[in-house]
Amino acid sequence: MLYLIIAVMSWSLVGVLVKTAAFQFDFYTITFARFSIGVIALGILVYLIRNTLSPTIRNRWIWIGALAKAGNYFFENLGVSVGFAYGNVLVFPVQTICLLLFGVLLFRERMLLRGWISAAIVVCGAMLIAWNGMPFAELWGQQGWVSMIFVLSGIGAATHLLSQKMLIKSMNDISMNYSIFLWASLITAVPLPFTMEVNTVVVPGAWLALLGLGLITGLSFVLSSKAIRTVKFSVVAVVSNLPVLFTVIWAGVIYQEPITGYIMGGAVIVLFGMTMLNWPTRRDKVEAAA
């Protein structure tokens, strides 16, 4: 349970950490650093456990996961850098809806009425956050395009989780994440020689934020994987969705960003819909007991 809480609360801090890191670094550098620092942390963990470092190369799902996660972080860092720290709250509902569609279209999973209702609730909450009470004529202004950036980030996050689903039977959690993040760090390093901006003013908080983002990338997924194996699923269904709410809270508390009733209401609606969607059915409980 402690592992799950640490992972969830660290995810909720990503928005304010990216915003803090942006005082010193451009979003290209932030994206690369999140992966590279995470890979170092994971590499140390892999070496201590297995005494060897052998990233997987010949597996298409490793590369799909690396490209998807690179896109997820790239668009998330871009959106937070030019928008609000709470903006990445949209990533969670988009990811949820994409995973739902993957299940129905790719794995032919049967969708119950409750699932469709839950998905509709999640979409309504996300739309309320994106709207934020703006006049409809302004929806396609800067804030509208920033929302679309987070939608792309959510699609990347969902595709990364799809790759994990395809790999989990043949690889353990740590090796899988180590391989994906290693190749993602190399992918995001490609544009650095052309985009890196040198800032001679050192901002210590930005460096600490960058370190925190890397450690979250490297360790939070391992902690959550271990938690899911032991914690009661109904508890996981509730707790794992809390970043939606806490992301908004941290942005308001730390950066005093304008958290309107539309934002809070949308976050609560998304939280309710995602929890309802992930809550195990009676059939799931019977199968788990068996």
Side-chain angles (χ1 to χ4, degrees), residues 19 46 68 104 120 140 154 162 173 191 202 222 228 230 241 252 274 281 285:
K19 201 69 176 178
V46 171
V104 174
W140 291 108
L162 172 64
D173 302 332
V202 177
V222 176
I228 289 172
T230 55
N241 294 321
M274 291 173 64
T281 63
K285 294 177 181 179

Side-chain angles (χ1 to χ4, degrees), residues 106 156 263 285:
L106 299 181
I263 300 295
K285 294 177 181 179

Side-chain angles (χ1 to χ4, degrees), residues 149-260:
I149 289 172
F150 287 120
V151 169
L152 294 174
S153 177
I155 294 172
T159 307
H160 167 245
L161 289 178
L162 172 64
S163 72
Q164 289 188 311
K165 178 179 177 63
M166 304 303 292
L167 292 167
I168 197 66
K169 293 182 180 179
S170 58
M171 300 183 68
N172 64 60
D173 302 332
I174 298 177
S175 296
M176 176 178 62
N177 285 311
Y178 174 71
S179 298
I180 289 177
F181 293 151
L182 175 63
W183 304 130
S185 68
L186 296 180
I187 293 170
T188 55
V190 172
L192 286 184
F194 311 100
T195 61
M196 183 176 290
E197 300 176 2
V198 179
N199 190 347
T200 56
V201 179
V202 177
V203 183
W207 287 88
L208 290 174
L210 205 64
L211 177 62
L213 287 167
L215 293 177
I216 288 172
T217 297
L219 302 178
S220 64
F221 292 99
V222 176
L223 294 177
S224 64
S225 297
K226 292 184 178 297
I228 289 172
R229 296 180 187 276
T230 55
V231 177
K232 189 177 179 182
F233 189 76
S234 58
V235 176
V236 174
V238 175
V239 176
S240 62
N241 294 321
L242 289 179
V244 174
L245 189 59
F246 277 96
T247 295
V248 176
I249 292 174
W250 300 141
V253 171
I254 297 175
Y255 279 110
Q256 286 79 51
E257 292 186 346
I259 309 300
T260 66

Side-chain angles (χ1 to χ4, degrees), residues 49 56 61 75 86 90 114 138 157 248 273 277 285 290:
I49 294 175
T56 302
W61 284 107
F75 288 113
Y86 66 77
L90 286 173
R114 190 189 73 172
E138 298 180 11
V248 176
L277 184 63
K285 294 177 181 179

Side-chain angles (χ1 to χ4, degrees), residues 96 118-119 121-122 241 268-278:
T96 298
S118 303
I121 292 173
V122 171
N241 294 321
V268 172
I269 291 172
V270 167
L271 176 63
F272 175 76
M274 291 173 64
T275 302
M276 182 177 172
L277 184 63
N278 293 323

Side-chain angles (χ1 to χ4, degrees), residues 118-129:
S118 303
I121 292 173
V122 171
V123 171
C124 289
M127 291 177 65
L128 190 60
I129 294 172

Side-chain angles (χ1 to χ4, degrees), residues 53-130:
L53 295 175
S54 54
T56 302
I57 299 178
R58 296 180 179 180
N59 190 314
R60 63 171 179 165
W61 284 107
I62 287 290
W63 289 101
I64 291 173
L67 287 167
K69 198 61 182 172
N72 167 214
Y73 279 5
F74 175 83
F75 288 113
E76 182 179 42
N77 296 334
L78 171 60
V80 171
S81 297
V82 301
F84 293 112
Y86 66 77
N88 67 329
V89 73
L90 286 173
V91 173
F92 299 102
V94 173
Q95 172 184 289
T96 298
I97 297 302
C98 287
L99 289 175
L100 177 65
L101 294 176
F102 287 157
V104 174
L105 299 176
L106 299 181
F107 302 107
R108 301 290 186 249
E109 294 178 354
R110 183 169 172 265
M111 191 67 175
L112 301 176
L113 178 61
R114 190 189 73 172
W116 292 113
I117 294 174
S118 303
I121 292 173
V122 171
V123 171
C124 289
M127 291 177 65
L128 190 60
I129 294 172

